């Protein structure tokens, strides 16, 4: 589960991390009042208007309807309405929205933190995430803030540093100091950075996050260290401990079919191919997608129906799959172990009959317990369903129906 | 010979009296696994499936001499169950539970380092040594006895591979389901190493998927240490970047996470990689010169 910038920042603040303050609005009418409130709280007279969507690259991205960028500066309260109007309700396309613009339902009106002062501002990169190989959390940081970190990693890997956290004791003072020194800081900014690092790690750890990325971390002209952005991904398995953060889920950011599948307890990912699949087990489901590709098609989805592939679940899965008009065939691939294949076959036949008709050919491959009986059930059903036993046979049938 | 579990293994079931524990313990007993008892806190002193129930793993170990445990405890309590097993002296801990928070697994993995034990999983189908012991949730009949070892992140894909092996005229020594989570107790390389050192195993099937670098690490080890052929498959060639595909660990982050990159490294290291999951068994037969 991903969070919006404004949500991530509110969590950071609750753990004592200094942030670029802001007020989120979902109506243009509220924008001026929000800006006034922000000025009262922070003294800012310029404002940054930031589109809230679950994708990066907003500053360089463009709102399709207005041509505005996704992050813009308003140099005074008189510009607020115009700037918010250019973003809110529009569709924002960025390098990270996979070629499809995302609707902006909320904007964050944030204080201007790049004000002039006694020293130059500088931007850093910092994130906390799991290092899978070491089985430990790691703080990744760099002096090259404010830009695409993957680009930095590729061209100047020596500018990216890592600090691993020992789970038995958590983050230690010497580690925070090392990070602040490596970022070239001294004096008050150094002190602020050590506090920032510890608070950021504690936020990550405290909310069961899978990733917490701050880009940029800003040293202001008056030597404060603040989070100007926040990208947060939660560990889905840890959410049961945090109903307050679970409530931050924004379903409008997700594919509606995926939301529906999720509510039906189906593990479903929408893809853009022409052959749908329905499989038991995640590994076999991925392998089935690969088989579809090798047979000349493209997978329309990932779908793990789990261990109980009964008529009700199969019917729900059919409904979800058939919402996609690009689907030209459906491949059902079940390896029956504990689940009996004949029961699954009966489920498919019943679901088919309940739905009246299904406009595309179905290939059912059932292997394992009672596979022979299952094949007979399918073959004798009189429905537009092809049966297969071996995985290769299923692949060949996909090729046949696509030809 | 075989690895990890055999007919002499004394197995206990944590979460014994729950619905999952009851069903799968029954299946394991039917397979012939030496299940000596189980643990459900608060139900110690009773009997379940004709076996004694204990309040703690320590009690179970003292009374039965158990050396293997299989865990069917719900996600919120599973990391605790793993640590309890290690603390009580269990040598092979198999955790089936799916959905354990990463934070809990970081701590459990660190904790058990202080004990002489091996964790398999979590989020895995378990281990089976064909004809001897099934410590897992796999359908036993699919695993015909033979000379091929399997290491896999996935459940049903393991069954698929075992079935293809049987249809190609071979069978299985031990199949190890290492699990699909970001943090697991036994890595691909460690499981392959166990099978490489098992004199009964003549060929190894290594099944991976997108995400992480366990397969690349295993491949490099195989390059330097292979004594027998390895056939490999990586699921998820068609998976999009940045999406979790069912298993919590199956997500492409960087370029090295892709199926393509993993298969390239595996090929460079001398592993017989198949692009189609339908060709796993046939490839192993071909490599070993076996005709079905």
């Amino acid at each position: 589960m991903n969070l919006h910038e404004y949500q991530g920042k509110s969590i950071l603040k609750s753990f004592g991390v200094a942030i670029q303050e802001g007020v989120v609005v979902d109506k243009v009418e509220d924008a001026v009042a929000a800006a006034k409130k922000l000025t009262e709280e922070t003294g800012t007279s310029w404002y940054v208007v930031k589109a809230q969507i679950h994708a990066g690259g907003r500053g360089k991205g463009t709102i399709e309807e207005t041509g505005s960028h996704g992050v813009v500066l308003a140099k005074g309260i008189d510009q607020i309405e115009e700037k918010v109007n250019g973003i809110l309700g529009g569709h924002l396309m960025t390098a990270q929205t996979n070629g499809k613009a995302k609707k902006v339902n909320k904007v964050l009106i944030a204080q201007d933190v790049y004000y002039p002062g006694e020293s130059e501002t500088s931007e850093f990169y910092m994130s906390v995430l799991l290092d899978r190989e070491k089985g430990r959390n790691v703080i990744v940081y760099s002096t090259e803030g404010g830009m695409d970190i993957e680009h930095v990693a590729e061209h100047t890997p020596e500018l990216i540093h890592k600090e691993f956290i020992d789970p038995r004791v958590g983050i230690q003072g010497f580690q925070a100091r090392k990070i602040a020194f490596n970022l070239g800081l001294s004096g008050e900014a150094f002190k602020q950075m050590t506090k920032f690092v510890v608070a950021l790690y504690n936020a990550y750890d405290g909310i069961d996050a899978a990733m917490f990325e701050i880009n940029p971390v800003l040293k202001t002209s008056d030597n404060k260290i603040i989070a100007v952005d926040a990208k947060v991904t939660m560990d889905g398995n840890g959410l049961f401990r945090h109903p307050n953060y679970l409530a931050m889920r924004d379903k409008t950011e997700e594919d509606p079919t995926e939301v529906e599948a999720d509510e039906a307890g189906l593990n479903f990912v929408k893809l853009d191919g022409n052959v749908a699949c329905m499989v038991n087990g995640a590994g076999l489901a991925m392998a089935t997608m690969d088989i579809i590709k090798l047979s000349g098609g493209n997978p329309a989805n990932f779908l793990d129906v789990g261990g109980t592939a009964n008529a009700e679940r199969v019917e729900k899965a059919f409904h979800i799959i058939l919402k996609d008009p690009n689907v030209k065939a459906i491949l059902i691939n079940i390896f029956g172990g504990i689940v009996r294949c004949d029961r699954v076959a009966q489920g498919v036949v019943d679901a088919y009959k309940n739905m009246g008709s299904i406009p595309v050919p179905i290939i059912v491959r059932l292997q394992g317990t009672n596979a022979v009986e299952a094949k007979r059930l399918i073959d004798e059903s009189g429905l537009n369903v092809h049966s297969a036993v071996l995985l290769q046979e299923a692949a060949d049938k996909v090729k046949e129906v696509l030809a | 010979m075989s690895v990890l579990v055999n007919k002499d293994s004394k197995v206990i079931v944590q979460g014994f009296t729950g619905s999952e524990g009851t069903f799968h313990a029954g299946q394991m007993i039917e397979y012939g696994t030496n299940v000596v008892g189980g643990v459900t806190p608060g139900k110690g002193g009773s009997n379940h499936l004709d076996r004694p129930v204990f309040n703690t793993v320590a009690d179970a170990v003292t009374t039965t001499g158990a050396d293997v445990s299989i865990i069917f405890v719900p996600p919120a309590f599973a990391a605790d169950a793993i640590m309890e097993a290690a603390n009580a002296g269990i040598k092979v801990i198999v955790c089936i539970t799916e959905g354990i928070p990463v934070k809990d697994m970081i701590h459990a993995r660190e904790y058990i380092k202080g004990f002489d034990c091996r964790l398999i999983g979590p989020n895995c189908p378990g281990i089976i040594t064909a004809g001897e012991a099934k410590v897992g949730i796999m359908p036993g009949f699919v695993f015909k006895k033979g000379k091929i070892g399997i290491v896999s992140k996935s459940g049903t894909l393991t069954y698929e591979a075992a079935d293809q092996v049987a249809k190609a005229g071979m069978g299985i020594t031990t199949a190890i389901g290492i699990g699909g989570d970001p943090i697991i107790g036994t890595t691909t390389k460690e499981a392959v190493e166990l099978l490489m050192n098992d004199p009964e195993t003549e060929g190894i099937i290594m099944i991976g998927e997108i995400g992480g670098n366990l397969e690349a690490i295993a491949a490099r080890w195989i390059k330097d240490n292979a004594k027998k052929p390895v056939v490999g498959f990586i699921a998820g060639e068609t998976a999009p970047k940045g999406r979790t595909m069912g298993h919590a660990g199956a997500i492409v982050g960087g370029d090295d996470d892709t199926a393509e990159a993993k298969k390239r490294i595996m090929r460079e290291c001398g592993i017989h990689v198949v692009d189609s999951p339908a060709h796993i068994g046939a490839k192993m037969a071909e490599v070993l010169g076996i005709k079905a």
Side-chain angles (χ1 to χ4, degrees), chain A residues 132-134 136 167 205 235 237 241 258 271 280-281 284 289-291 294 302 337-338 365 367 369 392, chain B residues 23 99-104 107 109-110 139 141 156 160 163 167 213 236-238 240 243 245 249 277 279:
Chain A
R132 289 173 63 163
E133 193 182 337
K134 290 201 163 56
R136 291 185 169 195
D205 191 54
D235 173 11
N237 291 343
R241 290 198 274 247
E258 289 183 11
L271 302 170
N280 65 332
L284 191 60
M289 286 160 47
D290 297 345
I291 279 266
L294 290 167
F302 165 94
I338 308 296
R365 183 268 178 152
Q367 176 64 287
T369 316
Q392 188 57 49
Chain B
F23 177 76
I100 306 176
V102 168
K103 184 175 168 176
D104 295 5
H107 286 108
R109 184 177 171 275
E110 201 67 37
F141 74 92
T156 41
E160 175 70 43
D163 186 58
K167 290 203 164 66
N213 59 356
E237 180 100 54
T238 51
R243 299 299 308 270
M245 307 303 276
H279 300 160

Side-chain angles (χ1 to χ4, degrees), chain B residues 36-241:
Chain B
V36 296
V39 176
T40 297
K43 294 198 176 166
S46 61
N47 270 291
H48 185 63
L49 307 177
D50 290 329
R51 266 84 178 163
V53 183
F54 301 92
N55 282 325
T56 66
V57 179
D59 286 350
V61 169
T62 308
T63 310
T64 66
D67 54 2
V68 175
S69 175
I70 181 166
I71 296 173
F72 291 101
V73 169
F77 315 105
D80 179 74
I82 291 168
M83 294 188 276
E84 182 183 1
N87 184 278
I90 294 287
K91 300 291 176 233
V92 176
I93 305 163
V94 179
C95 186
I96 305 298
T97 310
E98 177 174 5
I100 306 176
V102 168
K103 184 175 168 176
D104 295 5
M105 276 312 301
I106 292 176
H107 286 108
R109 184 177 171 275
E110 201 67 37
Y111 178 84
I112 66 171
K113 278 183 187 167
F115 298 90
D116 174 27
C117 67
R118 176 177 288 288
L119 170 67
I120 304 285
N123 191 10
C124 78
I127 319 165
I128 185 167
T129 293
E132 296 197 34
K134 171 173 113 112
V135 185
I137 57 172
M138 62 288 278
F141 74 92
V142 179
F143 296 80
K144 304 272 184 295
K145 196 166 176 56
K147 294 178 173 174
I148 307 300
I150 301 180
V151 174
S152 171
K153 277 183 178 174
S154 148
T156 41
L157 201 46
T158 308
Y159 318 158
E160 175 70 43
D163 186 58
Q164 288 181 26
V165 164
K167 290 203 164 66
M170 302 167 292
I172 304 299
T173 48
T174 301
I176 309 169
I178 60 169
D181 268 5
I183 294 191
I184 52 177
T186 296
T187 63
T188 311
K189 178 242 156 192
E190 289 166 337
V192 167
E193 189 174 358
L194 290 170
L195 292 167
M196 202 62 86
N197 293 329
D198 171 38
E200 258 186 31
T201 300
E202 292 180 359
I204 299 168
I205 292 171
M206 176 177 135
I207 299 171
E209 59 195 30
I210 53 166
N213 59 356
L214 293 184
E215 295 87 356
I217 293 169
R220 293 192 183 101
W221 182 87
I222 288 165
K223 188 183 179 187
D224 297 333
N225 298 280
K227 292 178 277 195
K228 44 191 99 163
V230 179
V231 169
F233 172 72
I234 301 289
E237 180 100 54
T238 51
K241 194 179 174 186

Side-chain angles (χ1 to χ4, degrees), chain A residues 120-251:
Chain A
E120 290 288 304
T121 58
S122 30
E123 293 183 323
F124 310 111
Y125 171 89
M126 196 171 292
S127 62
V128 192
L129 70 165
L130 172 73
D131 182 286
R132 289 173 63 163
E133 193 182 337
K134 290 201 163 56
R136 291 185 169 195
N137 291 320
V138 60
I139 300 176
V140 179
Y141 62 102
S142 174
T143 50
E144 307 305 290
M147 53 184 90
D148 179 11
I149 197 67
E150 285 174 14
H151 184 83
V152 179
E154 196 180 326
H155 297 279
T156 47
E158 70 280 4
L159 295 177
I160 294 185
H161 306 277
K162 290 182 175 184
E163 189 66 29
F164 292 92
I165 309 302
D166 186 329
R168 291 166 299 183
V169 293
I171 187 162
Q172 296 298 300
F174 76 89
Q175 296 181 297
R177 292 197 298 277
K178 182 172 157 194
I179 291 170
F181 278 127
N182 281 343
L183 291 173
L185 296 170
S186 58
E188 181 61 18
F190 171 88
K191 211 172 116 192
Q192 293 298 323
M193 180 58 89
T194 57
K195 280 189 191 163
F196 183 94
V197 170
V198 171
L200 171 63
Y201 185 78
N202 288 338
Y204 167 88
D205 191 54
I207 71 166
D208 274 277
M211 194 209 44
F212 223 129
E213 182 182 63
I214 316 293
N215 191 19
V217 176
L218 179 72
K219 184 196 82 67
T220 62
S221 62
D222 53 354
N223 293 316
K224 290 188 184 118
I225 301 292
I226 61 172
V228 179
D229 197 359
K231 191 175 168 193
V232 185
T233 305
M234 302 289 292
D235 173 11
N237 291 343
L239 280 170
F240 71 89
R241 290 198 274 247
H242 307 286
N244 49 333
Y245 302 130
L246 180 59
M248 290 181 172
R249 179 174 171 191
D250 182 354
K251 289 184 183 172

Side-chain angles (χ1 to χ4, degrees), chain A residues 282-299:
Chain A
L284 191 60
M286 279 186 274
T288 304
M289 286 160 47
D290 297 345
I291 279 266
I292 289 169
K293 176 90 177 181
L294 290 167
S295 305
N298 274 304

Side-chain angles (χ1 to χ4, degrees), chain A residues 250-282:
Chain A
D250 182 354
K251 289 184 183 172
T252 65
E253 286 286 330
E254 300 170 35
D255 182 283
T257 331
E258 289 183 11
V259 172
E260 189 185 338
D262 184 46
E263 280 161 4
L266 296 168
N267 207 331
F268 176 86
V269 178
K270 175 86 189 70
L271 302 170
D272 47 16
N274 56 354
V275 180
C277 58
M278 195 189 300
V279 190
N280 65 332

